[in-house]
């Protein structure tokens, strides 16, 4: 990542998915990350708050996350 045209920096970007609303927002976050060239880590933390399906997890692998 290049900042101010000449400086380089490292970035660790994570998203905690703690509730159903966050689960629904994951695809939007993946699109934003792609738009800005970021790679991030999604921490799926259902704790009985939402269902984690195979289709939901497949979305991450299909979009290279």
């Amino acid at each position: 990542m290049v900042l101010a045209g000449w400086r380089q920096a490292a970035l660790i970007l994570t998203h905690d998915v703690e509730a159903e609303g966050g689960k629904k927002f994951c695809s939007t976050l993946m699109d934003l990350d792609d738009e800005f060239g970021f790679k991030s880590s999604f921490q799926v933390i259902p704790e009985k708050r939402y269902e984690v399906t195979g289709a939901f997890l497949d979305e991450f692998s299909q979009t290279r996350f």
Side-chain angles (χ1 to χ4, degrees):
M1 178 168 152
V2 178
L3 301 174
W6 58 274
R7 294 183 186 231
Q8 291 188 348
L11 172 72
I12 298 173
L13 182 61
T14 64
H15 304 294
D16 290 346
V17 184
E18 297 178 359
E20 183 69 30
K23 178 184 169 190
K24 291 178 180 178
F25 196 59
C26 283
S27 61
T28 301
L29 282 175
M30 286 186 243
D31 290 343
L32 285 170
D33 289 348
D34 278 344
E35 182 179 334
F36 289 97
F38 294 138
K39 288 297 176 187
S40 61
S41 172
F42 284 78
Q43 309 304 314
V44 178
I45 310 167
E47 297 182 0
K48 300 181 184 180
R49 297 179 192 167
Y50 59 90
E51 182 180 2
V52 178
T53 62
F56 174 65
L57 296 176
D58 286 346
E59 187 175 351
F60 293 100
S61 61
Q62 292 172 359
T63 57
R64 301 169 312 280
F65 277 87

